[in-house]
Amino acid sequence: MMAAVKSRKANWGEHEIGFLVSECADNSDVLTGKHEGSEGGGEKDKARFWKETAERVNSMCGVGRTVEEVTKKWKDLKSKTKKKEQGRRRTMRLTGGGGPVDPLKDWEEKVRLYI
């Protein structure tokens, strides 16, 4: 019996990443807000936000990304941007001012301001 071959989805494009960052930055109150009440209203709002964002990303690119893939991408973007910013700051603090540092992309700057 042959095993099913799982094909990879296309890599995230700059426009998709920019859109995801803009959506998350504009809705930071939903993503980081306190989840008050016993009915879990905050969690429902967050789940609705991720579902709608995944649908909008899919309408842009047509790749068919799941909610889990979109949330993982956001977490990965935050992590990578934080590490890049730490490296940039470390370089600037070296004796003599360090070497030249790579500037952050527009979307990385938005993520840096978010975190």
Side-chain angles (χ1 to χ4, degrees):
M1 183 168 14
M2 297 181 87
V5 177
K6 185 176 180 181
S7 62
R8 293 186 63 217
K9 293 183 181 179
N11 290 340
W12 285 72
E14 285 290 320
H15 62 285
E16 291 174 275
I17 292 172
F19 176 78
L20 178 60
V21 169
S22 293
E23 285 293 306
C24 291
D26 293 344
N27 294 288
S28 63
D29 55 332
V30 174
L31 296 176
T32 61
K34 294 182 179 179
H35 307 294
E36 297 179 6
S38 61
E39 298 175 20
E43 287 298 324
K44 290 178 185 176
D45 291 343
K46 191 184 291 189
R48 185 179 332 109
F49 166 77
W50 284 120
K51 183 176 184 246
E52 291 171 358
T53 302
E55 289 171 357
R56 286 190 216 122
V57 167
N58 289 330
S59 69
M60 285 178 53
C61 65
V63 174
R65 303 193 190 281
T66 64
V67 172
E68 291 79 19
E69 291 170 335
V70 174
T71 56
K72 182 177 183 333
K73 184 64 174 181
W74 174 240
K75 289 177 186 176
D76 291 347
L77 289 173
K78 288 191 305 182
S79 177
K80 288 178 184 178
T81 302
K82 188 174 182 180
K83 286 180 184 177
K84 184 173 182 178
E85 181 62 15
Q86 287 171 343
R88 290 178 72 242
R89 289 182 184 198
R90 190 177 317 111
T91 300
M92 289 188 291
R93 284 188 294 237
L94 292 174
T95 304
V101 293
D102 294 332
L104 294 174
K105 297 176 184 176
D106 290 339
W107 64 263
E108 288 174 324
E109 186 63 31
K110 283 184 183 179
V111 173
R112 186 187 69 81
L113 293 173
Y114 176 84
I115 53 177

